[in-house]
Amino acid sequence: MTSTTTPPTGWIHQFEKGTSDLTLLLLHGTGGNETSLWQLGRELAPQASLLSVRGRSLEEGSPRFFRRFSDIRYDQEHLKSEADALTTFVQEASQHYGFDPAKGVALGYSNGANIAVASLIRHPESLAGAVLWRPVMPLEAPVQVPLTAKPVLITLGAMDPYRPYARALLSYLQDSGAEVQTEELSSGHQLTRQDLMLTQRWLQQHFSA
């Protein structure tokens, strides 16, 4: 598997066609790239198509999906424009590679989870669901949109220093009508085997992965 920027253009990415209708949109954390979650995605959903994307913002050379002013203060305009651009890219990629974008599920870690949240809120129709590992609410004063019955899995680390900043996201999703499953693990910000077990079970339950 090699990374490519052609076509659709604009985002460095990897794609592999699966045998099921499900497509996982893999979104790495800060400092990762399009290869970071690849093996996990294949392990979690062996039959799914995988579309893994590299964030276009750089922080001291480390790829991210949007700029930030501090660990918890984000460049709102850049966040929104990149969420919109990512949504457009996925639509173009679906036509180029031949997968159904309506059956796409975001699987994001940390910064990748946060761009998935922004994309879901700004374009609710763009994702069938989302797995959010260690997310926070990245948008300031987000517009409430209906996400009725849209399945979302959130895994949080009880000892994660970002854990308190997830409260606003949980409240938002609860008010949106999304079908949210929240799991708090005895961990920090890093991923654990329990995250993966919960995710695999959730994917099988909601998407027959």
Side-chain angles (χ1 to χ4, degrees):
M1 185 61 57
T2 57
S3 298
T4 180
T5 57
T6 60
T9 59
W11 295 77
I12 297 173
H13 65 279
Q14 292 184 163
F15 177 81
E16 185 174 82
K17 185 74 173 176
T19 57
S20 74
D21 291 336
L22 174 66
T23 297
L24 291 184
L25 173 62
L26 306 176
L27 302 168
H28 62 80
T30 299
N33 59 34
E34 70 280 9
T35 69
S36 300
L37 299 179
W38 189 264
Q39 291 303 321
L40 290 182
R42 183 51 70 217
E43 178 183 341
L44 293 170
Q47 309 305 319
S49 297
L50 300 182
L51 176 63
S52 190
V53 184
R54 183 189 301 185
R56 302 192 294 186
S57 182
L58 287 177
E59 182 177 278
E60 297 181 350
S62 296
R64 285 177 49 83
F65 285 96
F66 53 88
R67 289 192 295 265
R68 62 181 173 181
F69 303 123
S70 72
D71 284 351
I72 57 169
R73 185 164 172 260
Y74 307 132
D75 183 333
Q76 292 293 298
E77 292 309 309
H78 193 241
L79 166 60
K80 292 173 186 175
S81 67
E82 287 299 278
D84 294 348
L86 179 62
T87 300
T88 298
F89 166 76
V90 173
Q91 290 292 326
E92 293 174 352
S94 71
Q95 296 174 17
H96 180 74
Y97 292 120
F99 65 86
D100 185 352
K103 296 179 180 176
V105 174
L107 196 161
Y109 169 58
S110 190
N111 181 243
N114 296 339
I115 193 74
V117 170
S119 299
L120 189 61
I121 291 174
R122 291 180 64 79
H123 304 279
E125 75 290 349
S126 65
L127 293 168
V131 176
L132 308 173
W133 293 328
R134 310 298 186 270
V136 301
M137 170 51 86
L139 291 167
E140 298 172 2
V143 175
Q144 191 73 53
V145 298
L147 299 172
T148 307
K150 197 175 287 286
V152 178
L153 173 64
I154 296 175
T155 64
L156 304 170
M159 293 169 281
D160 184 353
Y162 297 103
R163 169 66 181 86
Y165 304 103
R167 292 193 189 105
L169 175 61
L170 300 181
S171 176
Y172 179 93
L173 290 175
Q174 185 176 31
D175 292 342
S176 75
E179 185 180 341
V180 183
Q181 178 181 334
T182 304
E183 303 286 348
E184 185 165 276
L185 312 181
S186 299
S187 68
H189 195 67
Q190 76 281 4
L191 284 176
T192 69
R193 177 52 57 176
Q194 194 173 1
D195 287 280
L196 307 184
M197 292 173 63
L198 287 165
T199 300
Q200 189 168 46
R201 192 179 309 152
W202 181 89
L203 285 169
Q204 291 171 348
Q205 176 183 351
H206 292 280
F207 297 98
S208 302

